[in-house]
Amino acid sequence: MENKAEKKIIPMTSIDSGIGEQITSDLYYFPFQIVNVVFYGYPGEGNDWVLIDAGMPRSGDNIIIEAEERFGKNNPPKALILTHGHFDHVGGITELIEKWGMPVYAHELELPFLRGEKDYPKPDPTVEGGLLAKISPYYPNEAITIDGHVQALPQDGTVPFMEGWRWIHTPGHTQGHVSLFREKDGALIAGDAFVTVKQESLYKVFTQEQEISGPPRYLTPDWETARISVEKLASMKPMVAITGHGRPMTGKTLRENLALLVEKFDEIAIPDYGKFVDDK
Ligand SMILES: [Zn+2]
Ligand SMILES: [Zn+2]
């Protein structure tokens, strides 16, 4: 497999990089450089587990080491579930498939981007934001090709190997973006539907200062749809959210911040200028 999006070394990091944290008894988030992956499953040698998202380019080895520490060696995940196919969520995927050979699931609208059929829109360096937006042309937007391994999430909303969870279609950031939700304890894996750090700002990404934000601006082409997705997630009243970027947010802080994001979506999320808003 040859995937351009996985070759680039992206020299960006945060102070949390490599330091994972247990969020619920069966959810663990692992930040690497500037993006989070999630391990679902109770820790312990040989326990079943599922990986959500595949990190930055060249992060595969780090994900493998972390997973082996948590679930033991020679214990591949039952599946990899992708919230979407952006380069910073599929970066380690080839290494992971080579090592583990697990099935990969994504929303059917995301499949063309994972089968080399369609590229994402080019990132927008002119968008209002910060330095990470300015250097975003450096980010790969090309589709990756993992044909034989990826399949559509089940139509009935269930998530393979994740009992009690359902996937929620949350488009806007990408067409086939999904978030994962567990009713029982209100746990939400939000991908980039919203994030808890101002992802355009080099400084804030580095320090991981918590701040509710819409989806990363330089890669979000459809803001009205993104707004509806945030409203949908807020209405489910999650108790804990692990987002694709930034530190997990919980309880009252999460509820208040999500309500604020819904109320002031124009101000907080939508950039004042940039190609995806000026086109409209
Ligand atoms: Zn994204
Ligand atoms: Zn992302």
Side-chain angles (χ1 to χ4, degrees):
M1 277 183 288
E2 274 274 312
N3 285 315
K4 207 166 161 189
E6 290 176 277
K7 292 249 180 69
K8 274 193 177 169
I9 296 176
I10 307 214
M12 291 181 303
T13 197
S14 69
I15 53 172
D16 286 348
S17 182
I19 305 164
E21 196 188 323
Q22 179 115 8
I23 304 303
T24 69
S25 55
D26 58 0
L27 281 176
Y28 180 80
Y29 102 109
F30 180 59
F32 190 73
Q33 290 185 296
I34 59 161
V35 68
N36 303 323
V37 302
V38 182
F39 296 170
Y40 166 66
Y42 294 103
E45 289 279 312
N47 283 355
D48 286 354
W49 69 287
V50 172
L51 176 66
I52 296 98
D53 284 348
M56 290 286 278
R58 296 177 183 251
S59 65
D61 288 343
N62 296 80
I63 294 172
I64 291 166
I65 291 165
E66 193 74 6
E68 287 184 341
E69 242 167 63
R70 199 164 171 81
F71 302 107
K73 283 195 197 301
N74 305 313
N75 182 19
K78 293 286 170 202
L80 165 61
I81 315 282
L82 295 175
T83 59
H84 63 304
H86 276 157
F87 77 99
D88 52 337
H89 297 253
V90 300
I93 205 163
T94 302
E95 291 153 275
L96 299 180
I97 289 173
E98 273 165 12
K99 168 83 179 171
W100 287 326
M102 71 286 166
V104 180
Y105 294 88
H107 190 278
E108 63 176 342
L109 293 175
E110 211 67 5
L111 296 182
F113 303 96
L114 300 164
R115 290 176 169 159
E117 295 159 11
K118 244 186 190 178
D119 292 339
Y120 291 108
K122 285 207 187 321
D124 177 13
T126 67
V127 77
E128 180 205 355
L131 193 61
L132 287 193
K134 299 257 176 315
I135 64 165
S136 63
Y138 188 68
Y139 304 159
N141 68 309
E142 297 91 355
I144 62 161
T145 304
I146 49 165
D147 287 45
H149 291 273
V150 66
Q151 54 194 298
L153 283 160
Q155 294 283 352
D156 64 2
T158 57
V159 185
F161 308 102
M162 292 179 70
E163 222 194 300
W165 291 78
R166 61 195 165 98
W167 59 263
I168 317 285
H169 189 203
T170 43
H173 181 58
T174 67
Q175 291 163 11
H177 189 286
V178 296
S179 305
L180 310 181
F181 185 66
R182 178 166 61 186
E183 194 87 54
K184 189 179 71 179
D185 62 350
L188 174 68
I189 298 168
D192 286 355
F194 68 91
V195 300
T196 59
V197 67
K198 201 169 172 337
Q199 190 63 18
E200 301 79 25
S201 160
L202 181 67
Y203 175 74
K204 288 185 175 176
V205 165
F206 180 73
T207 60
Q208 292 288 291
E209 182 188 317
Q210 239 187 4
E211 178 174 341
I212 196 91
S213 282
R217 289 176 169 177
Y218 43 80
L219 281 173
T220 303
D222 184 346
W223 285 98
E224 282 317 308
T225 309
R227 177 204 305 273
I228 294 165
S229 293
V230 167
E231 287 170 355
K232 198 192 278 182
L233 294 178
S235 74
M236 295 176 344
K237 306 213 179 329
M239 293 302 295
V240 51
I242 307 176
T243 54
H245 306 271
R247 290 177 176 147
M249 204 178 254
T250 59
K252 196 166 161 240
T253 312
L254 174 61
R255 280 201 304 281
E256 288 175 356
N257 274 282
L258 263 182
L260 184 75
L261 182 60
V262 167
E263 192 193 312
K264 297 192 185 298
F265 194 80
D266 288 334
E267 264 162 77
I268 297 174
I270 303 179
D272 285 347
Y273 53 85
K275 75 170 180 183
F276 300 128
V277 286
D278 295 342
D279 281 356
K280 290 277 149 72

